[in-house]
Amino acid sequence: MKRLTALLLSLLLLLSLAACGGGSAPPPSAENPPAENTGGAPGAQEPEVPDSTSLPENPVVEPQPPAEKEPYEILDPKVMPEGGERDGVKYAAYDGIVEHLFFHPIIAYPELAFDGDAQANGLDDFMVTVDEFNKILDNVYEKGYVLVDIGDVWSETTDEAGNPVMVKNTLYLPEGKKPLVFSYDDTNYYPYMLENGLTYKLILGEDGKITSWGLDPQGNEVISRGLDAIPRLDEFVEEHPDFSPFGAKACLSVTGYEGLLGYRTQTDSTVEWTDELEANRQAEREAVKPIIEELKRTGWTFGSHTWGHIRLGSGNMAKIRADTQKWFDEVGSLVGPTTILFYPHGERPDGNDWKQTGEAFRYLQAQGFRVFCSVGVESFSYIKKDICAVICDRLHPDGKTLRWSRNRYLQFYDAKEIMDIGVRPDLGVGEDWNS
């Protein structure tokens, strides 16, 4: 009966179209720029989106009585602990590179993702499996990285002339540790993800902790903390609290056109908007609020990925303005203010944001964004001289880089030990696998 119910649920709701993407990035310094590199296999494409009429329903999860929450402490890495120690651990100043890795939602069921359909190669390009994600966590932990919040890496201040500027902060870390920022793109649970082996939404478990809801390949309901990158990182930090000495987790880079965290909080201008649709949207907004509250309480932060996953290099200012306002209205109103903007497709406003500051960049900065994140070949950052902003690149563990960029990620892990070749499409690997 449970299986039958889940299968029936999967036929009822129409969901809108969605897509996610990675992207290439510009040089890591204005003075000595290396060649751009997407880290991808030849011909790699983003996943196509299936017909929404075939997609499973966003499930109705009965609310649980409030569980007593365990205390969760968030500390400031910009402040040295009194006496230079905390809990018997010595701390030291750190002014070096802050590495930044980003992930898309992880694949829970590879047999659904890599089933040979039109989306299999795109999913291979942009995502890692649960097993691969777990191995990456183990490796970065063993190599001495500790999580820090991206919002603590830079701060806004004023220069001697009273002009607002961004500065890179000194971080005080446990001796011998290296800082690492995590961000997760597209944690909206788009329709194409649901039928391709990913979890469906976040819920609060009976213990009050963030968990995931989804269907397994047989259509059975699965509530788990180990099949989704968000609750899995929570679990890992519980198991290894020294991996997050300040309580930081990751920054969630979210769009809005397919809702938020699996809840359909969006409007849709392509259909006649009715009172019934609006009532359902408002119910979804209320349902996601406790999830957001618990995420923020336990070290997760939010950044904008634009509302519609739009290309910011298009030069279409009317579209950029309308999209930004819609993100504030439909997403920012739920997650709160943010200074972090993640470029969809890795595409930079005005074409080259580190060499010029065009109309699009100035507009976005004026809306409160200060840290602008693209995708690149290293964890590069550059503080703009003409405007109060910092631009940075982040590395992307995924099928592309596991296959084709092994050497570039050796400071974090060895792709030969991470990649699950047995479940992925047979698309080959790079020459550096033999070095």
Side-chain angles (χ1 to χ4, degrees), residues 18-22 44-50 118-127 192-193 196:
C20 71
Q45 296 180 350
E46 297 181 28
E48 295 179 3
V49 181
Q119 298 191 61
N121 287 355
L123 292 164
D124 177 78
D125 278 344
F126 298 117
M127 296 181 183
Y192 83 86
M193 296 178 181
N196 279 281

Side-chain angles (χ1 to χ4, degrees), residues 396-409:
H396 50 117
D398 53 25
K400 279 187 174 183
T401 58
L402 287 175
R403 290 183 186 278
W404 310 107
S405 302
R406 172 179 172 243
N407 286 345
R408 192 177 301 136
Y409 287 76

Side-chain angles (χ1 to χ4, degrees), residues 53-196:
T53 59
S54 66
L55 297 173
E57 181 180 4
N58 194 26
V60 176
V61 180
E62 292 297 326
Q64 300 292 331
E68 185 175 349
K69 298 182 185 298
E70 298 178 4
Y72 194 87
E73 188 174 24
I74 297 177
L75 303 172
D76 188 348
K78 304 187 296 296
V79 178
M80 174 69 88
E82 186 175 351
E85 288 190 10
R86 180 183 294 123
D87 298 329
V89 176
K90 292 184 178 180
Y91 280 66
Y94 182 92
D95 289 302
I97 294 172
V98 178
E99 299 286 1
H100 187 163
L101 299 178
F102 94 92
F103 300 85
H104 287 101
I106 60 176
I107 295 168
Y109 302 106
E111 62 269 41
L112 295 180
F114 307 130
D115 58 0
D117 66 9
Q119 298 191 61
N121 287 355
L123 292 164
D124 177 78
D125 278 344
F126 298 117
M127 296 181 183
V128 297
T129 67
V130 167
D131 287 344
E132 291 166 344
F133 182 71
N134 284 330
K135 292 175 187 175
I136 290 171
L137 288 180
D138 286 336
N139 274 258
V140 295
Y141 174 71
E142 291 168 3
K143 289 181 179 293
Y145 287 99
V146 293
L147 293 178
V148 296
D149 178 22
I150 189 173
D152 289 326
V153 180
W154 300 275
S155 292
E156 180 175 347
T157 185
T158 54
D159 62 17
E160 294 180 355
N163 300 311
V165 294
M166 296 296 290
V167 295
K168 188 171 182 292
N169 297 316
T170 296
L171 302 178
Y172 298 95
L173 308 178
E175 279 190 347
K177 299 298 184 180
K178 300 168 287 187
L180 177 63
V181 168
F182 269 8
S183 57
Y184 294 175
D185 277 14
D186 300 311
T187 51
N188 301 80
Y189 300 78
Y190 299 140
Y192 83 86
M193 296 178 181
L194 308 189
E195 66 169 22
N196 279 281

